[in-house]
Amino acid sequence: MLAIALLVPVITRAQSAQFGPARVEIGAQAIGVATLESPAIHGRNLTEGYLTQPLLMAMASFWNNVVEVKGTLDLEGVTLKRGELNAGIAGEGYIDRRHPHTYLHELVITAQRRFGENGVSLALGKGFAPFGTDDPMVRPFEKYPINHHLAQILERAVAIGAINTRRVNLEAGLFNGDEPESPGDVPNRKRYWDSWSGRFTYVPFPQGELQASYARVRSPENATGGGADQRKQSASIRLEDAQRSGYGLLEWARTANYVGSSRTFAFTSLLAETWARYGLASGAVRLEMTERPDEARLVDEFRTPLPAPDLSIAGRSRWTIITVRVAAALPAAKGVSLDPFVEVARIRFSPTLKPSGFDPTEFYGSSRIWSVSLGAKLAFGMRHTRMGRYGAATAERRGMKMGEMKMDEMKMGDMKMDAPR
């Protein structure tokens, strides 16, 4: 946090710059948070503090967005090695803790061409496959929904083509199926393009969006291959007011595991969330009902074997979580935002496979968990408003955000500088 504070005076003087045909934007963010979970495990309460979501972001666009390079560095591998308390979440060898993301979270180059209100684009690099909804990192809540691995496919080597018209957007992509195994991991080159996904988006009016997507992912939990494949589905409705002061999201997602053509287990999620801002204050509510696999645990009971030794699970449980968030936007230095917040979640769970080798009530010591988080988000420079889309597929190209985003940047003191000739 000290390093960020020292950099603020430098970066706020140059959040964006014009260098001939190139426009360059930079930004950064970090969240300091303390979380209490009661109970967290075996009837014990845990209170922990983190520096989470420390990001450095940059975007360079050339020749009026004909070519665009977008990059995000995520330093959670340094600040979040043990994972972050996040009851119910599971993935990449962590359970009931959110895993740290890879250092190179995103680096994608996109070429695009506009034809009036229509456009086409091709994106290549490491980033998000065209599937599901926006990354939780750019949504209001600090705690991730536990459907993260059901509703998004991220940190893959991707090749994505997109076509959009005034109302319709089509995306199709190839990517490697294997999930990262550590913050320093990179996509397995032997697995490039073994998986695919497609997403259809309909925009009936500028603030409305209907999305449906499908993916086939080869052996995501075993980097060398040979694990269960996944067939994933997602559908969502998103509404936003014209002033960008609030939105609502309704999302359904389903992932089924397959061995060959035989389905083994399936996991379904239903999520609804809404956020609204009034002046400097904002509030958000999220309701989630998600099924997750209950896997065998290691000596560190917040970790699971990766890759799993076989294709079985100890059980399956349904988690129902209600999360409420209240935040404020405090005046800060030019171009800098400081948003203190509090989040409270009530969590209930029940087994959905019987008989089951895992009894969640016995393991946690209660049939419900309370989570309270208190923290503040420090950010400056560019923002990722809708992380997970590229080129012709971005909301800005469909007229939903760009003008408003630029206005926000101007209000925050975005300064343009011409490079010396």
Side-chain angles (χ1 to χ4, degrees):
M1 297 297 285
L2 177 61
I4 292 174
L6 292 174
L7 286 171
V8 165
V10 177
I11 295 180
T12 54
R13 290 196 293 269
Q15 294 174 25
S16 65
Q18 191 77 32
F19 297 95
R23 175 179 170 82
V24 179
E25 298 178 73
I26 58 175
Q29 73 169 52
I31 300 175
V33 62
T35 295
L36 164 67
E37 278 191 6
S38 177
I41 191 170
H42 300 312
R44 293 187 291 114
N45 298 346
L46 287 180
T47 302
E48 297 181 353
Y50 316 94
L51 181 63
T52 186
Q53 299 181 32
L55 305 180
L56 300 174
M57 299 167 286
M59 182 173 68
S61 55
F62 301 85
W63 306 292
N64 196 27
N65 297 319
V66 172
V67 176
E68 183 178 270
V69 180
K70 182 181 294 185
T72 303
L73 296 179
D74 189 317
L75 303 179
E76 288 180 336
V78 176
T79 67
L80 214 63
K81 290 182 179 180
R82 64 180 172 180
E84 177 184 347
L85 285 175
N86 202 148
I89 203 166
E92 298 184 21
Y94 289 76
I95 189 165
D96 296 318
R97 289 186 185 271
R98 182 177 67 79
H99 61 79
H101 289 99
T102 60
Y103 295 117
L104 184 58
H105 189 60
E106 182 180 41
L107 181 60
V108 175
I109 181 170
T110 304
Q112 53 193 325
R113 181 73 181 270
R114 304 296 302 171
F115 306 94
E117 292 186 336
N118 306 321
V120 296
S121 66
L122 178 65
L124 187 68
K126 182 186 177 185
F128 293 78
F131 177 85
T133 52
D134 296 343
D135 185 33
M137 193 175 291
V138 296
R139 285 150 60 180
F141 298 90
E142 189 276 326
K143 293 301 180 192
Y144 273 45
I146 66 175
N147 74 355
H148 180 37
H149 283 262
L150 303 184
Q152 290 88 34
I153 303 173
L154 66 157
E155 298 185 326
R156 305 301 214 278
V158 296
I160 303 169
I163 302 173
N164 87 290
T165 65
R166 184 165 177 260
R167 299 295 186 194
V168 174
N169 186 84
L170 295 173
E171 302 164 82
L174 298 173
F175 56 94
N176 63 293
D178 56 302
E179 294 178 337
E181 295 183 300
S182 69
D185 196 14
V186 296
N188 187 340
R189 284 184 291 180
K190 295 181 180 179
R191 300 283 309 277
Y192 279 11
W193 327 131
D194 67 357
S195 303
W196 62 270
S197 65
R199 179 164 53 194
F200 168 83
T201 305
Y202 175 62
V203 183
F205 51 90
Q207 286 77 43
E209 179 180 287
L210 287 78
Q211 175 272 144
S213 49
Y214 181 82
R216 288 203 175 190
V217 187
R218 294 288 301 273
S219 184
E221 297 181 358
N222 191 323
T224 60
D229 299 333
Q230 291 183 348
R231 301 182 187 180
K232 304 171 75 71
Q233 300 162 277
S234 169
S236 64
I237 301 172
R238 190 181 190 276
L239 301 175
E240 181 176 15
D241 69 356
Q243 293 74 37
R244 287 187 62 200
S245 61
Y247 79 88
L249 171 69
L250 179 63
E251 169 186 67
W252 172 85
R254 180 179 176 86
T255 293
N257 291 347
Y258 278 79
V259 177
S261 60
S262 301
R263 193 179 80 175
T264 54
F265 304 102
F267 309 94
T268 302
S269 174
L270 183 64
L271 179 148
E273 70 182 34
T274 185
W275 169 83
R277 180 182 64 201
Y278 184 77
L280 298 180
S282 64
V285 178
R286 181 174 69 204
L287 172 63
E288 178 182 10
M289 293 180 288
T290 296
E291 293 177 311
R292 76 158 197 199
D294 293 312
E295 299 176 302
R297 303 190 184 221
L298 302 177
V299 174
D300 177 353
E301 293 185 293
F302 290 102
R303 302 296 299 270
T304 60
L306 187 69
D310 54 47
L311 302 179
S312 66
I313 58 176
R316 183 180 62 194
S317 52
R318 177 179 294 112
W319 292 66
T320 302
I321 306 175
I322 301 175
T323 305
V324 177
R325 173 188 171 97
V326 177
L330 299 183
K334 192 174 184 180
V336 179
S337 64
L338 179 62
D339 301 339
F341 64 86
V342 59
E343 287 184 15
V344 179
R346 183 178 184 270
I347 304 154
R348 300 196 67 176
F349 39 80
S350 59
T352 58
L353 278 182
K354 295 182 179 180
S356 174
F358 179 81
D359 184 339
T361 300
E362 180 180 341
F363 180 80
Y364 295 105
S366 175
S367 61
R368 63 179 59 87
I369 297 172
W370 285 93
S371 174
V372 180
S373 296
L374 179 66
K377 178 179 180 178
L378 178 66
F380 49 86
M382 66 169 283
R383 304 288 193 272
H384 265 310
T385 54
R386 298 290 304 277
M387 183 180 280
R389 296 173 182 260
Y390 305 102
T394 58
E396 289 87 353
R397 301 295 181 264
R398 297 198 302 273
M400 294 178 65
K401 299 279 189 179
M402 183 60 78
E404 298 153 336
M405 184 175 70
K406 288 182 178 178
M407 287 299 295
D408 281 354
E409 291 173 352
M410 292 171 60
K411 291 177 183 178
M412 294 186 64
D414 183 25
M415 300 179 65
K416 297 181 180 179
M417 305 185 303
D418 290 327
R421 298 184 183 275

